[in-house]
């Protein structure tokens, strides 16, 4: 037996040594591996193991050195600062643990070659449309992983709040469906392990930051999913959660330091009041509760001001980008985490990957409060967050008002006009992620009162105004559900995603005539939008809504698109003289909706309750 094999076996057995200091054992090294050629040479390993503090780690590998070893109040942790030179060779770095001068164990720390130069990695952008899906509820591609030994919650498809068995393989099976639909980016709700006894399906109570939940698949399955997406020209966004973890996270009973999480004498819930963060008049009482209160009794609040945790989280993001070849990050509950840390986190990720994109979930009603979380020093009101994208909740609220309210000075379609007029608060509003609903909100078709005409107008708006649109799975087949009945109602299974489902809405024969009409409408717009530069990056010029119609243009170089939303229950003829600044030089147009050529632009007749999108022709 050679030495390496022996060491591997030793490690596999989780080595023990009995001494006066107690049994010594290694349970985990995180990150579990790394890459050479990173811009940042600093890497801090967290080693977790019984009495590991009593050991002295050592490395003998060209280009990799231990700079410092940190011990905390918990003897079961070591934090080891490494310096990895760019010139170091890929390979296995034996991380040796010594006790009283004797080598008592080795962790084979793997250094890989990077996939590609970090500059090449291009994140999602206004050219893209995101498809959001909840992996437990989209498709069950492998029934053998529905229940896994050691996992606290078993599957039960009859329980709206239970696990239904959806998984990564189910997503892979339907990638052609997703590609045909015309979306270009996939955001999957968190896939990391949630070994919680309840509500483990949604993924937001992470119990292991380095491991895909085995009921969804393996880490390799996730990396393979990303590659399968890339082969189809689809980018992938990973959903990350740094504000909290699950109460069954392995470190909760064994915190590296007492201040690893924000502790309270008795359970204290956050006030969920995001405006407390930008509010210049906030009380300390509200501020502390917002930042340090727990999101839920099952979700301990992480203290990103602990320097070891801060390193851990930054490295965790970089590890997943490199490991899975990601194109973007969606950061959950962005305002709830300490904002100085989040700004540093964004900077460090962007330092390593300058062209990747990050969207922060900032659930705020008002434009200026939303704008606070996204910005550069030129236009920001407070701290520079460096965050490239935010979720545009003000536009989400306005969309529902636009189509459900009567027209008034600021209501109805004017709601959209007024939100967009406030783009002054964003340094680059083209990068706002815009959406008609999501996994936390009443389903779009339900909020449109199951009116297919309204549904189409709203989607036409969403796919042509400024921003990066996001479509929640099932919107294309008119899935319904009210949030106030419970989250299970807005996260139902995609019909046809499970073996034996009576209807398969992934194929046209499984869709009702109305579902098919909706699907074809959205598919047509998505596939058209893919290639339209004016919609991606064009300037938005909007005209004040009049008489139940709202007209705007997107212009980019020679390309121009005119959009008319008609909310009237009658056909409307729009005289176009007031749009001359945008129509000058164009003689004709082509309807994106019908494909018809429009020969005369001087007046346009729009059918009742509909949207017209016209590509202008010189
Ligand atoms: Ca499954």
């Amino acid at each position: 037996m050679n030495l390496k094999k022996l060491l591997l076996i030793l490690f596999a057995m989780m080595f023990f040594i009995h001494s006066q200091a107690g049994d010594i054992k290694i349970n985990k090294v995180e990150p579990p591996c790394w890459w050479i050629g990173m811009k940042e040479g600093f890497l801090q390993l967290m080693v977790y193991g019984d009495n590991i503090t009593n050991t002295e780690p050592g490395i003998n590998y060209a280009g990799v050195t231990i700079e410092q070893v940190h011990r905390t109040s918990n003897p079961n942790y070591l934090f080891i600062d490494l310096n990895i030179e760019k010139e170091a060779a890929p390979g296995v770095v034996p991380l040796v643990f010594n006790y009283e001068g004797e080598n008592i164990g080795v962790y084979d720390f793997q250094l890989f070659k990077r996939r590609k130069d970090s500059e090449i990695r291009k994140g999602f952008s206004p050219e893209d449309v995101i498809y959001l899906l909840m992996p437990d509820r989209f498709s069950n591609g492998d029934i053998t992983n529905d229940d896994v030994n050691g996992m606290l919650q078993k599957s039960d498809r009859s329980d709206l709040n239970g696990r239904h068995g959806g998984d990564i393989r189910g997503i892979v099976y339907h990638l052609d469906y997703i590609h045909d639909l015309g979306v270009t980016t996939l955001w999957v709700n968190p896939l990391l392990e949630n070994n919680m006894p309840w509500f483990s399906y949604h993924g937001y109570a992470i119990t292991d930051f380095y491991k895909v939940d085995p009921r969804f698949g393996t880490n390799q399955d996730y990396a393979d999913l990303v590659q399968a997406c890339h082969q189809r020209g689809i980018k992938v966004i990973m959903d990350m959660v740094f504000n909290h973890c699950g109460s069954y996270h392995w470190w909760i009973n064994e915190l590296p330091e007492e201040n690893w999480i924000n502790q309270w004498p008795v359970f204290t819930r956050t006030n969920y009041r995001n405006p407390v963060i930008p509010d210049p008049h906030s009380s300390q009482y509200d501020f502390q509760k917002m930042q340090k209160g727990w999101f839920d009794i099952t979700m301990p609040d992480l203290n990103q001001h602990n320097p070891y945790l801060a390193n851990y989280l930054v490295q965790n993001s970089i590890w997943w980008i490199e490991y899975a070849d990601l194109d973007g990050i969606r950061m959950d509950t962005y305002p709830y985490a300490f904002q100085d840390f989040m700004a540093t986190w964004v900077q460090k990720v962007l330092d390593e990957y300058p062209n990747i994109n990050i969207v922060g979930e900032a659930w705020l009603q008002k434009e200026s409060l939303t704008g606070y979380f996204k910005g550069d020093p030129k236009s920001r009101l407070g701290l520079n967050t460096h965050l490239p994208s935010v979720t545009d909740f003000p536009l989400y609220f306005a969309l529902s008002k636009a189509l459900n309210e009567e027209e008034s000075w600021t209501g109805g379609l004017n709601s959209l006009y007024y939100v967009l007029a406030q783009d002054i608060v964003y340094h680059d509003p083209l990068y706002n992620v815009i959406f008609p609903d999501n996994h936390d909100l009443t389903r779009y078709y339900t909020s449109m009162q199951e009116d297919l005409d309204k549904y189409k107008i709203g989607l036409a708006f969403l796919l042509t105004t400024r921003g990066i649109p996001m479509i929640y799975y099932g919107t294309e087949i008119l899935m319904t559900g009210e949030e106030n009945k419970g989250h299970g109602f807005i996260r139902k299974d995609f019909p046809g995603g499970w073996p034996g489902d009576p209807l398969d809405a992934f194929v046209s024969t499984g869709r009702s005539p109305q579902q098919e009409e909706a699907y074809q409408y959205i598919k047509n717009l998505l596939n058209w939008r893919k290639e339209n530069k004016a919609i991606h990056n064009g300037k938005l010029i909007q005209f004040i809504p009049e008489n139940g119609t709202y007209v705007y243009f997107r212009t980019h170089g020679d390309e121009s698109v005119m959009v008319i939303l008609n909310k009237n229950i009658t056909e409307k003829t729009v005289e176009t003289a007031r749009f001359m600044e945008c129509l000058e030089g164009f003689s004709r147009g082509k309807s994106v909706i019908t494909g018809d050529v429009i020969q005369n632009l001087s007046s346009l007749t729009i059918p009742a309750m509909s949207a017209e999108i016209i590509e202008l022709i010189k």
Side-chain angles (χ1 to χ4, degrees):
M1 187 181 300
N2 66 31
L3 180 66
K4 198 177 163 198
K5 262 189 179 165
L6 178 69
L7 292 174
L8 278 172
I9 288 168
L10 271 177
F11 179 69
M13 290 168 64
M14 294 298 179
F15 62 85
F16 274 94
I17 181 167
H18 188 70
S19 72
Q20 285 179 329
D23 290 339
I24 295 173
K25 186 182 172 187
I26 294 184
N27 295 321
K28 276 179 189 293
V29 175
E30 289 181 344
C33 64
W34 203 248
W35 292 268
I36 51 157
M38 307 296 275
K39 288 184 195 167
E40 174 62 69
F42 170 81
L43 183 70
Q44 185 171 73
L45 300 179
M46 180 171 86
V47 183
Y48 168 56
D50 300 354
N51 297 303
I52 197 71
T53 196
N54 295 324
T55 66
E56 196 56 54
I59 282 177
N60 184 9
Y61 190 92
V64 183
T65 48
I66 293 179
E67 299 292 307
Q68 207 176 344
V69 179
H70 307 267
R71 292 175 171 80
T72 68
S73 53
N74 188 331
N76 298 334
Y77 288 89
L78 273 185
F79 291 88
I80 305 172
D81 294 352
L82 299 183
N83 181 51
I84 302 172
E85 288 172 19
K86 285 197 175 62
E87 297 73 29
V92 174
V93 179
L95 175 60
V96 178
F97 294 87
N98 300 298
Y99 177 71
E100 291 181 348
E102 198 181 327
N103 169 2
I104 59 155
V106 177
Y107 177 82
D108 283 335
F109 188 75
Q110 194 95 35
L111 272 183
F112 294 102
K113 193 172 179 300
R114 298 186 73 169
R115 286 173 186 273
K116 57 191 176 196
D117 193 307
S118 65
E119 308 279 342
I120 294 170
R121 194 178 302 275
K122 188 177 178 306
F124 64 100
S125 74
E127 295 169 19
D128 293 305
V129 176
I130 302 166
Y131 190 72
L132 162 64
L133 67 83
M134 183 153 277
D136 183 60
R137 304 297 169 88
F138 186 65
S139 173
N140 189 355
D142 180 3
I143 56 166
T144 68
N145 64 14
D146 293 2
D147 293 309
V148 172
N149 281 341
M151 304 309 282
L152 297 172
Q153 192 176 24
K154 301 296 171 206
S155 63
D156 179 2
R157 207 180 164 199
S158 67
D159 177 2
L160 273 176
N161 297 318
R163 292 193 78 93
H164 292 189
D167 48 39
I168 292 173
R169 194 178 292 178
I171 303 170
V172 172
Y173 284 164
H174 296 104
L175 283 183
D176 287 335
Y177 168 84
I178 290 168
H179 178 256
D180 288 349
L181 184 61
V183 293
T184 59
T185 300
L186 187 61
W187 158 24
V188 180
N189 291 120
L191 285 160
L192 297 184
E193 184 195 87
N194 271 230
N195 196 7
M196 302 287 290
W198 339 263
F199 293 98
S200 69
Y201 76 94
H202 58 58
Y204 289 97
I206 293 169
T207 56
D208 190 328
F209 283 92
Y210 279 100
K211 186 182 172 196
V212 166
D213 194 294
R215 294 162 294 189
F216 290 139
T218 62
N219 286 6
Q220 185 62 50
D221 290 336
Y222 182 53
D224 291 346
L225 166 69
V226 178
Q227 289 315 302
C229 285
H230 288 174
Q231 281 162 14
R232 291 166 175 82
I234 297 171
K235 296 168 185 164
V236 178
I237 297 173
M238 185 165 174
D239 199 339
M240 297 188 180
V241 192
F242 285 179
N243 176 63
H244 50 262
C245 63
S247 52
Y248 282 68
H249 191 290
W250 61 265
W251 63 34
I252 285 299
N253 294 322
E254 183 79 280
L255 294 175
E257 291 193 308
E258 277 305 296
N259 69 359
W260 195 257
I261 57 175
N262 290 309
Q263 312 252 21
W264 297 77
V266 290
F267 170 70
T268 302
R269 198 178 279 282
T270 176
N271 48 27
Y272 306 104
R273 293 283 190 162
N274 296 314
V276 163
I277 308 304
D279 176 9
H281 314 295
S282 287
S283 65
Q284 273 301 309
Y285 176 85
D286 291 339
F287 193 87
Q288 296 293 325
K289 211 166 170 182
M290 168 61 198
Q291 295 269 272
K292 297 182 182 174
W294 289 21
F295 203 79
D296 190 83
I297 197 158
T298 59
M299 295 173 174
D301 195 65
L302 294 172
N303 173 20
Q304 306 88 13
H305 281 162
N306 179 296
Y308 304 120
L309 179 60
N311 286 332
Y312 184 95
L313 295 173
V314 167
Q315 292 173 176
N316 183 256
S317 299
I318 291 171
W319 191 89
W320 278 110
I321 294 169
E322 199 64 36
Y323 174 82
D325 202 12
L326 300 173
D327 307 288
I329 295 171
R330 179 262 183 189
M331 180 51 72
D332 184 61
T333 46
Y334 192 89
Y336 292 77
F338 290 123
Q339 292 301 296
D340 52 351
F341 165 75
M342 294 312 288
T344 304
W345 168 74
V346 172
Q347 272 182 296
K348 292 200 172 202
V349 172
L350 293 180
D351 282 350
E352 197 64 63
Y353 306 101
N355 303 313
I356 204 165
N357 195 10
I358 303 171
V359 55
E361 181 204 24
W363 189 333
L364 293 113
Q365 280 69 18
K366 306 288 184 189
E367 297 77 1
S368 59
L369 299 174
T370 308
Y372 178 88
F373 292 96
K374 170 185 192 285
D376 68 11
K378 290 192 286 294
S379 59
R380 271 194 60 76
L381 312 169
L383 176 82
N384 182 10
T385 63
H386 301 275
L387 187 65
S389 287
V390 278
T391 50
D392 196 334
F393 275 88
L395 199 60
Y396 154 75
F397 290 115
L399 186 59
S400 180
K401 287 181 184 166
L403 294 166
N404 290 322
E405 273 183 0
E406 292 291 314
E407 292 304 294
S408 67
W409 189 260
T410 56
L413 291 168
N414 281 291
S415 309
L416 301 175
Y417 174 82
Y418 271 90
V419 169
L420 294 167
Q422 292 176 79
D423 274 357
I424 45 170
V425 303
Y426 302 113
H427 84 263
D428 191 354
L430 283 177
Y431 273 75
N432 283 16
V433 170
I434 59 176
F435 47 93
D437 64 359
N438 67 24
H439 60 292
D440 290 325
L441 302 167
T442 289
R443 283 270 187 186
Y444 173 57
Y445 191 48
T446 303
S447 71
M448 290 296 110
Q449 297 154 331
E450 301 192 23
D451 179 327
L452 192 55
D453 292 334
K454 280 191 199 174
Y455 164 99
K456 287 182 182 175
I457 296 173
L459 284 174
F461 168 76
L462 200 83
L463 295 174
T464 54
T465 192
R466 61 91 177 125
I468 306 171
M470 188 278 283
I471 306 287
Y472 184 40
Y473 81 99
T475 297
E476 71 276 24
I477 54 155
L478 305 177
M479 281 173 72
T480 55
E482 285 176 64
E483 188 273 336
N484 60 13
K485 285 187 178 167
H487 278 167
F489 289 90
I490 55 174
R491 302 167 179 177
K492 290 180 197 153
D493 299 344
F494 194 103
W498 274 247
D501 276 359
L503 281 173
D504 181 1
F506 288 110
V507 293
S508 61
T509 50
R511 297 191 278 262
S512 71
Q514 268 215 325
Q515 284 178 319
E516 184 64 12
E517 191 179 335
Y519 172 85
Q520 292 299 342
Y521 187 84
I522 197 167
K523 179 180 175 176
N524 174 45
L525 288 186
L526 285 169
N527 281 285
W528 164 77
R529 192 191 186 283
K530 269 186 189 177
E531 308 299 334
N532 196 289
K533 289 190 178 63
I535 298 298
H536 300 161
N537 294 306
K539 183 174 167 53
L540 169 67
I541 298 168
Q542 60 173 350
F543 292 82
I544 300 163
E546 269 183 14
N547 307 320
T549 60
Y550 173 40
V551 176
Y552 56 91
F553 292 77
R554 302 293 307 279
T555 63
H556 186 267
D558 289 344
E559 288 185 41
S560 192
V561 174
M562 178 182 192
V563 182
I564 307 161
L565 309 184
N566 176 22
K567 233 180 92 179
N568 295 288
I569 52 169
T570 54
E571 173 184 284
K572 195 82 188 167
T573 297
V574 177
E575 302 303 329
T576 60
R578 78 176 167 119
F579 315 123
M580 212 30 76
E581 66 192 91
C582 295
L583 286 173
E584 210 162 10
F586 295 103
S587 61
R588 291 173 302 139
K590 187 182 173 199
S591 166
V592 175
I593 305 288
T594 63
D596 295 344
V597 172
I598 298 157
Q599 296 293 357
N600 180 4
L601 293 172
S602 62
S603 90
L604 298 163
T605 300
I606 314 300
M609 284 297 292
S610 70
E612 179 62 288
I613 303 170
I614 303 168
E615 278 186 328
L616 297 173
I617 303 167
K618 295 250 174 192

